[in-house]
Amino acid sequence: MNYYIVINRNAYCESIKRFVVKTNKTADVFLLAFDEGNFDFLEKHSEIRHFIDKSTKMYELKNGKAVYSGAKLKMSPNKWFHKMANLYAAIHKENECISRYVEKADETGIKQKGISFGKYKPFWFANKENTTAFPFRFKKSKGSEKQPLIVFFSGAGALGTDNIKPYFECLPMRMKLKKFNCNILIPQSNTQTNNGSNYMGFNDGLNSYVKSVQKLAERLMQNYSIDESRIYVFGTSFGGLCTWRSAYLFPDFYAAALSVVGCFDTKTENSEYADFERMVHLPIWAAHSSDDNNIRIDYDDYAVSRLKSLGGNIKYTRWKQYGHGMALHFYRKENWSEWMFHQKK
């Protein structure tokens, strides 16, 4: 066999079972192998259109022929399969954990659990309305007077349920926030939130998470000294996408939003989230680099241009260097925290 592809259960169908050479324990991931003689069959009986050869070159199936895309996968078929198998093993483990929390919780519930890192206490939040649960860390402000609440969404590298990775990802930003007396919320999204099989599936998971974080913020407002006119949200990469979505879904809840190397949506045209007028009044700062190969800048360019055309309160930092690693340089060089705390509903 000369060509390979790794697919998940949603892309699997009975007609292609004869091409399967490996399956993981939970039957979520399949490694398929085939050759040129199978192209016509695959085109007629499956949705498979992209695959790699033995040298990991990437091809697209067009009119019964393999057309080289000019790119390589950078991993062998076996490594690709094992990476996906490990991902789905993590998803199953997280889902079992989440189900237990959701079943035991009331309509919404907060339970302290885990190792504290100084003032950052560990908790789990269960939201039955959105049938989800996730860990988070919270640092309350000093004194009894109401202070701002900062919500930080971490990137895809910090997904999981360990309640540790987002805390360390937020370290450089927390250093700048030290000079402000504020409450800080650091939620952690599970792996599946960033692993939707299609556009609709991805958005369902993302919206559920973002809505649950907003519910959590409301719950914290009942128990801690939080100024409801100064609730800020920011995030990096996948967290930047969460920030944009939070701004779109709850433009009257947050006082400001900062998205760094993220994107408003994974579509620029025919997006389900096209009502930019709802965010016109909300102060938003987007930051991105044109040489970002992880998340294309096109998405932010489009959203920013739409908001500007409507007279939105939008600030845009558009660099041409550092790629996806622009985030650390931005957080270090820009006065983002001062800008954030200056905003008020």
Side-chain angles (χ1 to χ4, degrees), residues 18-53:
R18 62 190 173 103
F19 303 116
V20 175
V21 293
K22 275 189 180 181
T23 307
N24 72 329
K25 291 181 179 179
T26 55
D28 283 310
V29 184
F30 306 87
L31 172 62
L32 278 63
F34 46 89
D35 55 31
E36 291 87 346
N38 304 125
F39 286 167
D40 287 336
F41 180 87
L42 290 171
E43 211 161 29
K44 290 177 182 177
H45 301 282
S46 78
E47 298 298 320
I48 294 173
R49 296 295 181 270
H50 298 87
F51 42 82
I52 63 173
D53 64 10

Side-chain angles (χ1 to χ4, degrees), residues 4-19:
Y4 304 87
I5 185 173
V6 176
I7 60 173
N8 63 19
R9 184 190 297 171
N10 293 318
Y12 178 80
C13 59
E14 279 293 307
S15 60
I16 59 175
K17 64 181 180 181
R18 62 190 173 103
F19 303 116

Side-chain angles (χ1 to χ4, degrees), residues 83-343:
K83 182 176 182 179
M84 290 295 292
N86 289 336
L87 171 64
Y88 276 88
I91 288 174
H92 276 276
K93 185 177 180 181
E94 290 169 13
N95 284 344
E96 289 175 2
C97 182
I98 290 165
S99 295
R100 288 197 298 269
Y101 276 98
V102 172
E103 288 171 5
K104 293 179 181 179
D106 297 327
E107 190 59 29
T108 55
I110 295 175
K111 180 179 181 180
Q112 185 165 359
K113 183 179 181 181
I115 302 171
S116 295
F117 293 148
K119 297 177 181 179
Y120 288 84
K121 306 301 180 184
F123 299 88
W124 266 82
F125 175 68
N127 180 216
K128 286 203 170 182
E129 180 182 349
N130 290 309
T131 60
T132 189
F134 55 86
F136 70 93
R137 289 190 178 272
F138 180 73
K139 182 189 81 70
K140 64 180 181 179
S141 59
K142 299 175 183 177
S144 58
E145 291 187 10
K146 289 188 175 182
Q147 300 296 344
L149 169 65
I150 313 296
V151 181
F152 171 69
F153 285 111
S154 57
L159 299 178
T161 54
D162 57 65
N163 208 4
I164 295 175
K165 292 190 289 288
Y167 170 82
F168 286 105
E169 181 182 318
C170 192
L171 178 60
M173 292 72 92
R174 288 191 286 110
M175 298 304 291
K176 277 207 170 185
L177 293 173
K178 269 188 173 181
K179 57 184 176 181
F180 300 96
N181 185 15
C182 62
N183 302 277
I184 300 178
L185 166 61
I186 308 175
Q188 183 178 27
S189 174
N190 63 72
T191 306
Q192 195 166 12
T193 307
N194 193 35
N195 195 49
S197 59
N198 52 45
Y199 178 72
M200 185 178 295
F202 173 78
N203 279 302
D204 286 346
L206 177 66
N207 288 340
S208 176
Y209 175 55
V210 164
K211 289 177 181 178
S212 295
V213 170
Q214 190 270 342
K215 286 283 185 185
L216 170 58
E218 286 185 334
R219 188 66 176 266
L220 292 173
M221 288 166 59
Q222 299 172 11
N223 301 323
Y224 297 93
S225 298
I226 294 173
D227 183 352
E228 65 181 22
S229 69
R230 301 180 70 194
I231 301 177
Y232 310 116
V233 59
F234 79 107
T236 308
S237 190
F238 170 73
L241 174 57
C242 293
T243 299
W244 269 116
R245 189 59 56 84
S246 298
Y248 187 86
L249 294 177
F250 306 103
D252 297 321
F253 182 76
Y254 296 105
L258 167 66
S259 171
V260 183
V261 296
C263 67
F264 171 73
D265 189 14
T266 55
K267 283 186 177 181
T268 52
E269 296 180 5
N270 302 317
S271 167
E272 296 178 10
Y273 310 92
D275 184 12
F276 284 88
E277 290 186 2
R278 62 187 287 121
M279 298 188 293
V280 165
H281 65 282
L282 177 66
I284 299 175
W285 188 348
H288 217 132
S289 179
S290 59
D291 65 345
D292 186 345
N293 293 321
N294 287 55
I295 299 179
R296 298 200 321 268
I297 198 172
D298 311 34
Y299 306 115
D300 273 353
D301 283 348
Y302 177 74
V304 170
S305 65
R306 286 292 305 276
L307 283 169
K308 282 186 175 179
S309 70
L310 295 170
N313 190 349
I314 180 72
K315 181 181 175 72
Y316 196 24
T317 297
R318 195 182 193 280
W319 290 357
K320 297 180 180 180
Q321 57 182 343
Y322 303 123
H324 203 59
M326 171 203 181
L328 287 177
H329 298 276
F330 173 87
Y331 286 126
R332 187 166 57 245
K333 296 178 181 179
E334 298 289 342
N335 294 320
W336 58 274
S337 53
E338 287 79 1
W339 170 84
M340 187 179 288
F341 281 91
H342 183 69
Q343 313 304 322

